[in-house]
């Protein structure tokens, strides 16, 4: 698979088949992803990969906390407050498209919240991944984490696998730490669902639009 094909076919999958992932494939992907660039070669990513009983225990624990109405202090704000245009409209549009495929109207807040909770079941994926980094790392190193995550997602596509990066997991840091060895001196940056996309899952019909380069890019000297 060409890089262009992997990038064009990559999407945030929110419905997975009950099919295991070969650990040797994951090791190969994560080894290659380690070649992702980072400023000063710091390689600020630390990773935990979870499946089987440990994954089920984590998912069940968070589900119980959600059902009890519990909450935890998030590691960071996923979105800026009072998000301005055009960013607000982009976020709104992809959400409405997904809920449209799911048949959940905007006024059905309970159903939307119930669907959002599927984040914490990894959308049924057989593998969950967490990436964390020391708290003293700054915005440049957080950018490195994004580069690493993109590398992982493209390599997964090369293997025929799909994924969904999930900053939503930053909202349950204590529960994650109770099941995953993430030091307190590290910040939980994101989770990721990994597995085989379920073609019958309605949410997987979502195809987020991208802004044209005329809207985002300036060329000088050409």
């Amino acid at each position: 698979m060409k890089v262009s094909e992997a990038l064009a076919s990559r999407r945030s999958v929110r419905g997975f088949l009950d099919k295991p992932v070969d650990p040797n494939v994951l090791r190969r992907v994560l080894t290659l992803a380690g070649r992702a660039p980072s400023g000063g070669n710091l390689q600020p990513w630390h990773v935990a990969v979870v499946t089987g009983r440990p994954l089920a225990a984590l998912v069940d624990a968070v589900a119980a906390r959600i059902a009890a109405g519990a909450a935890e202090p998030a590691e960071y704000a996923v979105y800026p407050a009072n998000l301005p245009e055009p960013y607000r409209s982009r976020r709104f549009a992809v959400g409405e498209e997904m809920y449209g495929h799911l048949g959940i109207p905007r006024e059905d807040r309970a159903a939307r919240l119930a669907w959002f909770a599927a984040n914490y079941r990894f959308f049924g994926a057989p593998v969950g991944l967490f990436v964390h980094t020391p708290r003293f790392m700054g915005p440049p190193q957080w950018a490195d984490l994004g580069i690493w995550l993109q590398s992982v997602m493209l390599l997964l596509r090369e293997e025929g696998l799909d994924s969904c990066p999930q900053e939503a997991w930053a909202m349950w840091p204590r529960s994650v730490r109770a099941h995953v060895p993430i030091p307190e001196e590290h910040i939980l940056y994101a989770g990721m669902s990994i597995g085989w996309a379920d073609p019958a899952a309605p949410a997987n019909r979502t195809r987020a639009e991208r802004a044209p380069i005329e809207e985002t890019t300036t060329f000088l000297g050409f």
Side-chain angles (χ1 to χ4, degrees), residues 190-203:
M192 180 186 286
S193 301
I194 298 173
W196 307 94
D198 181 357

Side-chain angles (χ1 to χ4, degrees), residues 93-182:
V94 70
E96 289 305 295
E97 181 188 353
M98 180 184 67
Y99 285 117
H101 291 309
L102 292 166
I104 302 176
R106 186 165 183 78
E107 59 271 17
D108 194 345
R109 179 169 174 78
R112 291 196 170 199
L113 288 173
W115 169 254
F116 184 78
N119 271 284
Y120 307 114
R121 297 192 297 273
F122 289 102
F123 301 108
V127 176
L129 177 151
F130 293 100
V131 59
H132 51 101
T133 195
R135 293 183 183 275
F136 56 74
M137 295 294 183
Q141 288 75 51
W142 281 42
D144 295 339
L145 298 181
I147 296 170
W148 181 85
L149 284 168
Q150 175 78 319
S151 300
V152 171
M153 289 185 281
L154 295 182
L155 289 164
L156 288 170
R157 287 301 304 127
E158 184 180 70
E159 299 284 354
L161 290 159
D162 284 284
S163 62
C164 184
Q166 298 167 261
E167 293 168 315
W169 275 105
M171 298 171 65
W172 292 97
R174 292 177 181 172
S175 293
V176 172
R177 285 191 178 87
H179 295 268
V180 180
I182 299 177

Side-chain angles (χ1 to χ4, degrees), residues 58 61 66 118 123:
L58 168 61
I66 292 174
F123 301 108

